[in-house]
Every structure is written in structure tokens, then in C-alpha cells.
Amino acid sequence: MVCARAALGPGALWAAAWGVLLLTAAAEAQRGRKKVVHVLEGESGSVVVQTAPGQVVSHRGGTIVLPCRYHYEAATHGHDGVRLKWTKVVDPLAFADVFVALGPQHRAFGSYRGRAELQGDGPGDASLVLRNVTLQDYGRYECEVTNELEDDTGMVKLDLEGVVFPYHPRGGRYKLTFAEAQRACSEQDGILASAEQLHAAWRDGLDWCNAGWLRDGSVQYPVSQPREPCGGLGGAGSAGAGGGASGGVRNYGYRHNAEERYDAFCFTSNLPGRVFFLKPLRPVPFSGAARACAARGAAVAKVGQLFAAWKLQLLDRCTAGWLADGSARYPIVNPRARCGGRRPGVRSLGFPDASRRLFGVYCYRAPGAPDPAPGGWGWGWAGGGGWAGGARDPAAWTPLRV
């Protein structure tokens, strides 16, 4: 999408440039090569910016190019006087600076320092290379090219591969304000999902009959299997995208983000490390989960990490284990009757009493972290020892093979 600001023949220029974009995209799709965007030269030589239509897709930890090219008649002006600026759209009328270049002077801002640089593929290339992509990088970016008198902009959307998951804390459902929902997702290795991400998840089969906050401040929920308690059976009067007999995304609209309380829909992406299930010789309470993982050079996995491991790393385990928020869950890729039903997903046992002993814990080991017990060792009590006042004392744990 292009937001043309140049005041020189905008109708003709728009039609001509857009036609070239479509022809170029079709030709490149047939060749299966990297997309290259070409623009037509305006009669006046004014600044004209073009970005690739649609969106670019990456994942957490990846490297992506946000494409942007411009035409500027440099014979009389030179490219050194052209300012290139990238900003991120954080609200409909709010922008955050990402990167600015004027001649040889380049500067990245905030969390983009050390990660953003111009591609520099010849004159007229304003494409931005973004390395080590984070969850927070998701969104829309504006490429602006300015000379002394004129400017033009183009918009690029950066999407991430990942998974949407519903979340509520131990306190129960419908307990989170908007700010608390943002914080809850962050604590579980995620961000609030966008409406587009939730709709994509619904199309992929997500069915959840509890309303949750989204990143734009709206409250929605996806229903793949229509039923009366979840917004009705569809048909006339059903609300939300895709509403009807086949279900849809029910939409409560934008809500008061400081007073009203709902659940949250979070989004997470590719894991740089690994989630694994640790089964000690004896069941452990929640208080013992952190030590059990630490003995393997890991930490108790967060909810978002388990969802990412299930969706993107195909982790399949029919045994419930502790997670960092005190919940007990297990991931199922290949559904079977004894493992919670006929649909894949992450099963939840809610938030058991912390003193309850479970047969395992899901751990997360960061990339490069050593495993102190590569032979499969964990922590437990040897020979029935380690008793203190009739109860096993975690301080007396000793290494045991698991």
C-alpha cells in the first residue's frame, strides 16, 4: 500500500506505478525468485516511493528485509540530500522512530539499535534490514523519503510466524484490565495478539468461549464450533468476522481498558531454545519444579514457551507437568483418546494446589546453556534419606538419574 504525498500528477502516477507493481509481482511469482519492486519515472522527477504489496513474514530471532525503493531524479539534485526515515505505527496517529539516514549519517533508535541497517542495494534502495527479530517488532512500518521540498511514503507490514493462545492467571477468568493483560502475556513469553492474528488462529481451528483483550484494545473471542453459550448458533445477528453457521470471531468492540476486565489472547513465536519434559523419580510439588529444572541447566517453562514448542517444534507429551505460572498443562500433537480428546492442542488442568505433587515439570533451556546432567540426571532423594521432621527436605536433595 502506498500513501503518495507528491502533488504532481498523482492519478496518473498512481495508476502507472501500481500497474508496474502488479506485473512485476506476477512475473516474480512465476520465476519463484526474490521479489523486486520497480517504479515508473514521473515526468517531473519528484520523489516517488514504492513498497512491496502485502506483507513480509519472519519469526522471532530471524532476519528480514522491509522492502522500500524510491525514484528521485538525481542528475540535478543528487541522492546525498535525500533523507530516509523508517517509523513504526504504534497507534493510528502515533509513530515510533526506527531508523534515519541522511547521506553517510545513519542512526537507529531504541530497541532497534544494533539490529537495523539499510540494505544499500544501489541508488534508490531504502530497504531496511532488521536482524534478530523480536515479538515486539510485529506491526506496520512506514518508509518515508524526503528531499528539500517533497516527500513520499510507503507502508510495509511485518508479520510473524507463531501461535495465539488464550490466557488467564491463577485468580480466575475475567480478572485482567488491558494493562494487566499486556503484562500477563509478557510474563508468559508473549505479547497481546492482534485482531488479524486471532482471526488467522480461528481459521486454523482455535475455539475458545471466553472473551479476551487484543493489542488494539478490543475484546473478542473465536468460535469454531457454534453453540448457544458462545454467542449463539450463528445466522442472523451473529457478531464478528466470519460469523454464521460456521462460527466466527465474536467481537465486543473497544472496551474501557482501565475498568473492564477480561482474559487475554497472547501471541508468541519461534523459540530460540528448547522445551523438554522432566520426569523425576518421585512426584514434585510446585516448589520443587524450579530446582528440578535448574539441575538440568534450565528454568521452568512459561505458558507461551510450551505453546510455541507444541506448535512450532511439535512437542507431544501425554503427561501433565508444572509451568512457571503454577498451572499444569501438556501438549498434544497427535490426538488420542486417553490424552484429552480428538483435537490437537495444549491441554490444561488449571492451577492445581501448589502442594500437589505432579509427575513432572516442563523446562526451558536457553540456547547455549549447558546441561549439567547430559546423561539424564535430576534431583531427588537417595535411599529414602533427606527426611526432616517427617517431610522430605528439598535442601537435602541429591542428584539421581531420571
Side-chain angles (χ1 to χ4, degrees), residues 20-45:
V20 171
L21 271 174
L22 293 178
L23 291 173
T24 302
E28 292 297 335
Q30 292 178 353
R31 289 199 298 267
R33 299 176 181 175
K34 180 179 177 183
K35 182 184 295 182
V36 179
V37 179
H38 300 281
V39 299
L40 291 180
E41 180 177 343
E43 296 178 357
S44 63

Side-chain angles (χ1 to χ4, degrees), residues 224-226 233-235 238 242-248 250:
S224 296
Q225 301 174 351
L233 296 176
S238 61
S246 60
R250 316 298 193 209

Side-chain angles (χ1 to χ4, degrees), residues 166-168 303 306-307 319-323 325 327-331 346-351 362:
Y167 186 76
H168 70 85
V303 175
L306 184 64
F307 269 90
T319 309
W322 291 113
L323 293 180
D325 66 340
S327 65
R329 308 173 193 247
Y330 60 100
V346 175
R347 316 284 194 241
S348 175
L349 274 63
F351 293 84
Y362 287 95

Side-chain angles (χ1 to χ4, degrees), residues 70-101:
Y70 69 96
H71 168 78
Y72 180 56
E73 194 171 285
T76 56
H77 302 284
H79 283 274
D80 290 342
V82 174
R83 187 188 73 162
L84 311 178
K85 182 177 182 180
W86 281 91
T87 55
K88 184 181 180 185
V89 182
V90 293
D91 280 313
L93 297 176
F95 296 79
D97 290 339
V98 174
F99 189 90
V100 172

Side-chain angles (χ1 to χ4, degrees), residues 249-296:
V249 179
R250 316 298 193 209
N251 192 341
Y252 288 2
Y254 298 99
R255 314 305 296 182
H256 195 295
N257 60 20
E259 295 183 358
E260 298 188 40
R261 295 177 181 270
Y262 300 93
D263 292 348
F265 284 102
C266 308
F267 173 84
T268 193
S269 185
N270 183 61
L271 281 176
R274 172 175 170 260
V275 172
F276 61 95
F277 181 77
L278 181 63
K279 182 179 180 180
L281 290 177
R282 296 180 176 87
V284 294
F286 179 65
S287 59
R291 180 165 182 165
C293 290
R296 297 296 301 270

Side-chain angles (χ1 to χ4, degrees), residues 117-312:
E117 63 182 1
L118 289 180
Q119 179 175 249
D121 187 17
D125 183 23
S127 301
L128 188 72
V129 179
L130 190 58
R131 306 183 190 280
N132 192 21
V133 172
T134 70
L135 294 176
Q136 290 71 27
D137 291 339
Y138 169 85
R140 292 185 299 139
Y141 292 79
E142 184 180 80
C143 172
E144 180 182 33
V145 182
T146 307
N147 68 359
E148 295 178 354
L149 299 175
E150 302 163 342
D151 65 7
D152 194 20
T153 63
M155 198 71 71
V156 180
K157 181 181 179 183
L158 172 59
D159 200 2
L160 299 179
E161 298 172 344
V163 57
V164 172
F165 62 96
Y167 186 76
H168 70 85
R170 178 182 288 274
R173 300 194 183 281
Y174 294 177
K175 300 291 185 181
L176 301 173
T177 64
F178 179 73
E180 291 169 343
Q182 288 179 309
R183 185 164 55 251
C185 288
S186 177
E187 291 172 351
Q188 298 308 316
D189 192 51
I191 57 175
L192 274 179
S194 69
E196 294 86 355
Q197 288 169 333
L198 183 65
H199 188 262
W202 165 71
R203 294 184 62 183
D204 199 33
L206 180 61
D207 183 276
W208 196 255
C209 194
N210 292 283
W213 290 106
L214 297 178
R215 65 184 296 151
D216 63 357
S218 66
V219 174
Q220 305 182 35
Y221 64 99
V223 177
S224 296
Q225 301 174 351
R227 49 211 186 268
E228 285 295 348
C230 303
L233 296 176
S238 61
S246 60
V249 179
R250 316 298 193 209
N251 192 341
Y252 288 2
Y254 298 99
R255 314 305 296 182
H256 195 295
N257 60 20
E259 295 183 358
E260 298 188 40
R261 295 177 181 270
Y262 300 93
D263 292 348
F265 284 102
C266 308
F267 173 84
T268 193
S269 185
N270 183 61
L271 281 176
R274 172 175 170 260
V275 172
F276 61 95
F277 181 77
L278 181 63
K279 182 179 180 180
L281 290 177
R282 296 180 176 87
V284 294
F286 179 65
S287 59
R291 180 165 182 165
C293 290
R296 297 296 301 270
V300 182
K302 300 177 180 180
V303 175
Q305 291 169 339
L306 184 64
F307 269 90
W310 161 73
K311 182 72 172 181
L312 304 173

